[in-house]
């Protein structure tokens, strides 16, 4: 089985290289490789870290939705594409960022993030909306619409 896992992981770079603009690898595990279409996405989701938090989130010129997540979290992996789909409908009015709670702990600790997925929306440096857990697409759409309206 170890050989199979290694063989599967070694094909991941080829998949991404062969479709660099059409596909985005949102989760790379031996058991599951998910790709979402990127053709109509206004801008790529940002990778949010403790180091770029201030400039990427607090000083953002437009509302930004931050998805606090981890690669091992199944609901997090399912939620990412739902957020991307909902944010596509804003035509660039709202940005999306992914914050890996395993690689970054400072901001997650300051915000008391105790369970994931945890999604928070910020506008002009202030948190305006949030939710925890995996939501169905229609509720994710409603969340993004509220964030969009709150910024107008």
């Amino acid at each position: 089985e170890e050989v199979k896992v290694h063989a599967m992981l070694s094909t991941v770079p080829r998949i991404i290289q062969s479709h660099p603009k059409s596909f985005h690898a949102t989760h790379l595990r031996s058991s599951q490789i998910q790709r979402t279409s990127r053709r109509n996405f206004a801008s790529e989701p940002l990778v949010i870290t403790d180091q770029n938090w201030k400039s990427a989130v607090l000083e953002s010129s437009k509302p930004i939705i931050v998805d606090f997540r981890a690669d091992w979290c199944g609901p997090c992996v399912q939620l990412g594409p739902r957020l991307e789909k909902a944010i596509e409908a804003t035509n660039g009015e709202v940005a999306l960022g992914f914050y890996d709670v395993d690689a970054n702990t400072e901001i997650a600790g300051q915000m008391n993030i105790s369970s994931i997925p945890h999604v928070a929306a910020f506008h002009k440096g202030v948190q305006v909306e949030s939710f925890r857990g995996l939501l169905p697409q229609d509720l994710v759409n409603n969340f993004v619409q509220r964030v969009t309206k709150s910024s107008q």
Side-chain angles (χ1 to χ4, degrees):
E1 176 149 288
E2 188 172 309
V3 173
K4 288 181 185 177
V5 168
H6 179 69
M8 286 181 71
L9 289 176
S10 67
T11 63
V12 170
R14 287 194 299 253
I15 292 169
I16 294 169
Q17 288 173 353
S18 65
H19 303 290
K21 293 185 179 176
S22 307
F23 294 99
H24 170 69
T26 58
H27 185 65
L28 303 177
R29 289 175 66 169
S30 60
S31 62
Q32 182 179 21
I33 298 174
Q34 292 188 354
R35 293 180 301 275
T36 57
S37 173
R38 311 297 284 155
R39 283 182 274 258
N40 297 319
F41 201 65
S43 64
E44 292 293 318
L46 303 170
V47 175
I48 307 294
T49 65
D50 291 336
Q51 291 72 34
N52 71 1
W53 177 264
K54 183 178 178 186
S55 63
V57 177
L58 300 181
E59 297 172 351
S60 177
S61 61
K62 60 184 171 183
I64 181 166
I65 294 174
V66 180
D67 180 7
F68 293 86
R69 59 187 290 138
D71 286 342
W72 52 264
C73 169
C76 300
V77 172
Q78 294 174 354
L79 183 60
R82 293 177 191 184
L83 285 166
E84 290 179 5
K85 182 177 180 181
I87 289 175
E88 273 184 48
T90 72
N91 295 316
E93 290 182 47
V94 177
L96 175 63
F98 292 122
Y99 180 99
D100 183 339
V101 297
D102 288 333
N104 303 280
T105 58
E106 184 179 333
I107 300 301
Q110 289 174 9
M111 293 186 57
N112 295 318
I113 305 295
S114 59
S115 63
I116 53 174
H118 182 105
V119 177
F122 296 83
H123 185 236
K124 297 182 180 175
V126 177
Q127 183 177 325
V128 294
E129 290 268 348
S130 69
F131 70 86
R132 272 186 267 162
L134 178 61
L135 297 181
Q137 187 67 58
D138 62 330
L139 294 180
V140 172
N141 293 346
N142 291 343
F143 172 81
V144 172
Q145 288 170 0
R146 286 193 311 273
V147 171
T148 305
K149 287 177 184 174
S150 73
S151 69
Q152 297 173 341

